[in-house]
Amino acid sequence: MRSVFREDHEMFREMARRFIENEIVPHLHEWEQAGIVPKSVWRKAGEVGLLCSTVPEEYGGAGGDFGHSAVMIEELARVNATAIGFTTHSEIVAPYIVAYGTEEQKQKWLPRMVSGEMIGVIAMSEPGVGSDLRSMRTSARRDGDHYVINGQKTFITNGGNADLMVTATKLDPNAKELTLICVEADRAGFSKGRLLEKIGLKGQDTSELFFDDVRVPAENRLGDENKGFGYLTHQLAWERTIIGIRAAASIEALIEDTLQYVRERQVFGKTVFDFQNTKFKLAECKAQATMLRVFVDDCLGKAMRGELSPEVGAMCKLMGSEMQGKVLDELLQLHGGYGFMSEYKISRAWVDARVARIYGGTSEIMKEIIARSL
């Protein structure tokens, strides 16, 4: 039994699982072929209260906590619905606006994000910059009551569907300080690039964003000038824990799928499960998954109590993503040649999991963060 969740969390899980099974799973292959999820799916999710569950009730949200967030993350991971960008929208973009937005900004954007009418993205990554955020080049020049933004972003999750971009900029190109400015997609001078072709997450609309003299009212600035880096890093512990939560749920679901497969698959007159090697491999996977589950739930509990530190968030991401890669590789091997076929969930999940060691900060960056606390 997992003590981190309450009864209301489990009720939310039932609703989320039902929606995912009915509205998402049957269409995943189609969306992966298209490289994007229809906006109508977002609106359906908003109608039943599955988006931005932690947004306060006065802005249209459910006023939930990180437990509700984790439930949605886990249920999407359970079916490997990596095409769905709800997590970035609900757990990264919306919390920035809740934490640093003005009352006017919250009233203007949050209800539309909760309903699925407006899809949010975090426009942070740039070509050639990688993890070194302070080296970004996107500029914002003050011009009276407006900012004029120029630059380019890449690897943007939900970029194809994006309606609102929380955009990291520099007021002084030679300085290291960042300023966050919210840019609506209908602003003159803003454009979206092509959907990027990836080895995994094929249904997720990852794209480039271009800002060419985009004029944005000064009231669209999120928080204070030159405080953006602090805002970004303050939220990173939870964002990295999300990756650990997703990894743990993915591993558990795929162990169950693999158990079913090896118990049914016949070879040399007996099931694959009857071989000692299979049992030993699955025993190791189960032991590792159990160890990860205990740690991830402890991290989730800390997040719910407001006690999650940057180094523990980094540990959660590091151990979750690394273990996911290793365990899924073992599970794929137990499928034999069928594990190499895209029709099997294990093959798609194996490829999709590779990016977990890269995005949200590479494993190497996680080690740096942990080492600083030693």
Side-chain angles (χ1 to χ4, degrees), residues 106-336:
K106 294 174 186 178
Q107 294 286 355
K108 182 179 180 182
W109 295 320
L110 289 175
R112 296 170 66 194
M113 292 183 67
V114 171
S115 70
E117 177 189 351
M118 172 177 277
I119 297 174
V121 309
I122 180 75
M124 193 160 44
S125 299
E126 292 188 7
V129 171
S131 299
D132 186 8
L133 294 181
R134 291 189 185 273
S135 296
M136 68 174 57
R137 295 178 291 274
T138 298
S139 64
R141 174 176 56 83
R142 189 67 182 254
D143 183 20
D145 294 333
H146 288 75
Y147 291 101
V148 180
I149 302 176
N150 283 280
Q152 177 183 351
K153 301 293 182 179
T154 193
F155 306 144
I156 306 303
T157 301
N158 297 339
N161 275 330
D163 297 304
L164 181 71
M165 285 66 62
V166 176
T167 308
T169 71
K170 281 186 175 181
L171 301 183
D172 179 356
N174 299 315
K176 293 186 176 182
E177 290 80 11
L178 306 179
T179 299
L180 302 184
I181 301 174
C182 296
V183 181
E184 299 93 341
D186 58 0
R187 294 277 171 190
F190 171 77
S191 61
K192 302 173 183 177
R194 62 186 174 87
L195 295 179
L196 301 175
E197 295 184 24
K198 311 177 294 295
I199 63 170
L201 309 182
K202 288 186 175 294
Q204 201 173 92
D205 54 312
T206 310
S207 76
E208 299 169 305
L209 305 178
F210 300 96
F211 303 82
D212 184 11
D213 286 337
V214 181
R215 292 183 63 83
V216 181
E219 58 261 29
N220 276 28
R221 188 185 68 239
L222 199 60
D224 296 326
E225 290 186 344
N226 298 319
K227 296 292 181 66
F229 188 81
Y231 299 154
L232 293 171
T233 54
H234 181 72
Q235 303 288 342
L236 278 175
W238 169 242
E239 293 169 19
R240 287 165 175 161
T241 300
I242 286 170
I243 297 171
I245 292 170
R246 183 185 293 122
S250 170
I251 291 169
E252 290 169 345
L254 286 159
I255 286 175
E256 292 303 314
D257 289 351
T258 303
L259 273 169
Q260 181 179 347
Y261 176 82
V262 297
R263 283 174 171 151
E264 294 174 354
R265 178 84 166 97
Q266 295 277 334
V267 61
F268 300 117
K270 55 183 177 180
T271 69
V272 174
F273 184 73
D274 289 330
F275 290 89
Q276 186 184 62
N277 177 71
T278 304
K279 294 176 181 177
F280 280 10
K281 288 292 185 182
L282 286 170
E284 290 175 359
C285 291
K286 182 65 175 180
Q288 291 178 71
T290 301
M291 180 174 62
L292 180 63
R293 166 56 58 212
V294 173
F295 177 55
V296 167
D297 279 3
D298 183 65
C299 293
L300 174 57
K302 284 182 169 67
M304 293 168 69
R305 296 189 300 272
E307 300 170 0
L308 183 67
S309 66
E311 59 270 21
V312 171
M315 291 176 195
C316 190
K317 180 192 184 298
L318 176 66
M319 298 312 298
S321 62
E322 293 286 340
M323 189 179 294
Q324 184 183 21
K326 293 174 184 176
V327 171
L328 266 56
D329 194 70
E330 295 282 10
L331 299 178
L332 187 149
Q333 187 72 15
L334 291 174
H335 283 73

